[in-house]
Amino acid sequence: MATIVNTTEEEPMLAVVRSTAELAWADAGAEVADPEVARLCAEAQQHVLAARWLDMANLMLANADLLLLAPRLSDKDLECVLTVICNLVTKAGSEDEALEIAKLICAKLTHQPGEKPTLRIKVLFSLYNLLPSLSGKALVYRKALELAAAAGKAAADCVVPTFKNIDAFVAYWGIGKPEQRDLFLAVTRILKDQKGMTKEYFKFLNKYLATFDGSADEADAIGAAKEEAAAAIIEFVKSSDLYQCDLLDMPAVAQLEKDEKYQPVYELLKIFLTLRLDSYLAFQTANSSLLQGYGLVHEECITKMRLMSLLDLSGHCSGEIPYSAITKALEINDDEVEYWIVKAISSKILDCKVDQLNQLVIVSRHTARVFGMPQWQSLRSKLGVWRGNIANAINTIQANKVTEDGGQGMQGLMIR
């Protein structure tokens, strides 16, 4: 195979064409191969002279599959060849032409993703950096995610570190809701099978579901989100760290209430966010096989539901919860109350003091299971009260200061 030596601006491209042509015709014999290789090289020269970069990309990529599958070609040499091809986007006469070239490269690199997937993703990221247009960058990143999802864990490990910058990417690219939706869905499909990434998986499921506003023109798209909506509910119920979510307010989740398959899942979410332990126990009795099918452990659900019930009590009390109310709601004995209070405090969902003498729990702060419009209005009201209290305190301080200064002045006059 020919070696690429960068002696002129065009020579690397011609060397790639010659190398891929020789590889493609290697088994045909010199009499057949040599004329074909010469023809392809001549065609490449014509494209370069005429600055037909899209045609050049088609020619260079014609045998790219052979390069990607060639056992005698090292990863370093293959990356070099693919980088030369990617560099065509910098020569394109317009952003549209560069985008078309990028699409051709992406199509080749995402074909047969199981072969050298990490190298393919690396080349796609190089292509991303070379592209001038933001829409082109968004396209290439999306293709890298598709490749990672299809190729498995090794490839996924290459893209997962970039997920922390997704919000910045979306703002930078300026993409619309449909494109954001596709992006977030691609991320969830990668994170779904990643160990130790359940929080991130739930986060991006929420981002995906939040892109639906329930408008009539989204009817088909929102209907396709039922599986992800159910998955988000199950992840919330499973998690021992999540005690608040906005899923009930999302149209993509609300549609499950009338869905024959997922209605019980929606009911389960409603129980965890609005009801107490007794409702969950009744649901579990009627739907034990459903819970097992989704991998939910009954004992873990009881633990979480007891904490959720404690939060519900905190939200409906006037700052004080009697032990008797806790034992009834959590279905526990009197001597277990303080254990569950400590558990809630350690989970950072409750701040309180325990009055053992009067058997009261005095709540100073609790996590709201649902933080929707009523909670925002309540917060606004509290902030208004606090603002008024601070203003009154400032006025009192200023009035006292004026009185104090006046007294000192009178004393000075008397001394003189």
Side-chain angles (χ1 to χ4, degrees):
M1 179 177 176
T3 302
I4 299 173
V5 181
N6 189 12
T7 56
T8 69
E9 187 177 2
E10 289 80 19
E11 200 165 332
M13 291 183 289
L14 299 179
V16 168
V17 172
R18 179 177 295 280
S19 299
T20 54
E22 289 175 349
L23 185 62
W25 292 92
D27 298 329
E31 292 182 359
V32 177
D34 290 349
E36 287 296 326
V37 171
R39 179 184 64 79
L40 291 170
C41 289
E43 185 180 343
Q45 286 179 324
Q46 291 174 2
H47 292 329
V48 171
L49 292 173
R52 295 194 295 264
W53 304 117
L54 184 58
D55 292 335
M56 188 65 175
N58 271 305
L59 181 62
M60 296 175 78
L61 290 166
N63 297 305
D65 290 339
L66 291 174
L67 289 173
L68 290 164
L69 298 173
R72 62 184 181 181
L73 194 64
S74 70
D75 285 357
K76 186 176 181 180
D77 288 340
L78 178 56
E79 183 180 350
C80 181
V81 169
L82 294 173
T83 300
V84 171
I85 298 174
C86 289
N87 198 55
L88 286 172
V89 299
T90 65
K91 299 178 178 296
S94 67
E95 287 190 359
D96 288 343
E97 185 181 19
L99 183 58
E100 291 304 312
I101 294 171
K103 287 179 180 178
L104 289 174
I105 296 171
C106 288
K108 282 294 182 182
L109 290 176
T110 54
H111 182 59
Q112 294 181 306
E115 297 291 336
K116 302 180 180 178
T118 55
L119 174 62
R120 292 172 189 246
I121 290 175
K122 185 177 181 181
V123 173
L124 282 173
F125 283 164
S126 295
L127 176 61
Y128 174 98
N129 291 323
L130 290 169
L131 275 168
S133 73
L134 297 179
S135 59
K137 290 178 181 291
L139 169 75
V140 172
Y141 184 79
R142 177 79 174 78
K143 292 297 181 182
L145 297 189
E146 289 180 6
L147 177 58
K153 187 180 184 304
D157 289 343
C158 297
V159 299
V160 167
T162 69
F163 293 168
K164 64 180 181 293
N165 299 318
I166 285 285
D167 290 339
F169 290 159
V170 168
Y172 174 55
W173 298 331
I175 58 177
K177 280 290 180 66
E179 292 79 13
Q180 292 180 38
R181 184 177 300 149
D182 291 342
L183 177 67
F184 296 146
L185 182 59
V187 172
T188 62
R189 287 174 176 168
I190 292 171
L191 291 175
K192 183 178 181 180
D193 299 321
Q194 294 288 304
K195 291 183 178 180
M197 307 277 305
T198 53
K199 279 188 178 180
E200 289 78 6
Y201 176 50
F202 180 75
K203 171 186 172 183
F204 279 99
L205 279 172
N206 271 265
K207 285 180 174 291
Y208 166 70
L209 296 171
T211 62
F212 297 97
D213 58 15
S215 58
D217 57 348
E218 289 186 344
D220 292 337
I222 198 171
K226 290 179 181 179
E227 183 177 344
E228 283 71 29
I233 293 172
I234 297 303
E235 287 302 317
F236 174 76
V237 173
K238 276 184 179 179
S239 174
S240 59
D241 299 319
L242 298 171
Y243 295 91
Q244 181 187 82
C245 76
D246 300 326
L247 291 175
L248 280 178
D249 294 331
M250 296 182 182
V253 176
Q255 67 175 330
L256 302 186
E257 186 175 14
K258 298 179 180 179
D259 184 83
E260 182 179 355
K261 179 179 179 181
Y262 294 117
Q263 187 278 332
V265 180
Y266 180 83
E267 185 181 349
L268 181 65
L269 175 68
K270 207 165 182 178
I271 289 170
F272 269 79
L273 291 179
T274 64
L275 300 175
R276 296 182 182 176
L277 179 62
D278 58 339
S279 298
Y280 165 74
L281 292 173
F283 177 88
Q284 191 275 337
T285 301
N287 299 277
S288 58
S289 59
L290 175 82
L291 297 178
Q292 291 173 2
Y294 281 110
L296 295 170
V297 179
H298 179 50
E299 290 73 17
E300 294 175 357
C301 289
I302 288 179
T303 297
K304 181 165 184 172
M305 198 64 220
R306 278 182 171 143
L307 292 172
M308 296 298 250
S309 299
L310 187 56
L311 291 180
D312 189 63
L313 282 171
S314 302
H316 288 87
C317 74
S318 56
E320 296 182 352
I321 313 174
Y323 276 28
S324 58
I326 295 174
T327 57
K328 181 179 179 181
L330 275 60
E331 300 191 15
I332 56 176
N333 297 323
D334 291 346
D335 58 358
E336 296 177 282
V337 169
E338 291 178 15
Y339 167 81
W340 287 100
I341 294 299
V342 171
K343 193 170 183 65
I345 294 171
S346 63
S347 298
K348 299 180 179 179
I349 59 175
L350 187 70
D351 288 337
C352 63
K353 294 180 180 179
V354 177
D355 183 348
Q356 292 178 323
L357 183 62
N358 296 306
Q359 295 208 318
L360 290 173
V361 175
I362 304 167
V363 178
S364 56
R365 182 201 65 86
H366 75 281
T367 297
R369 292 188 288 178
V370 177
F371 205 90
M373 187 55 66
Q375 287 72 33
W376 281 113
Q377 290 173 344
S378 175
L379 179 60
R380 181 180 180 180
S381 176
K382 288 179 180 178
L383 288 173
V385 172
W386 292 341
R387 185 176 180 180
N389 291 340
I390 291 172
N392 290 335
I394 292 173
N395 290 336
T396 301
I397 292 170
Q398 289 176 340
N400 290 337
K401 186 176 181 182
V402 169
T403 303
E404 197 174 299
D405 290 345
Q408 289 177 350
M410 290 297 294
Q411 185 177 6
L413 286 172
M414 291 171 66
I415 291 172
R416 284 196 293 270

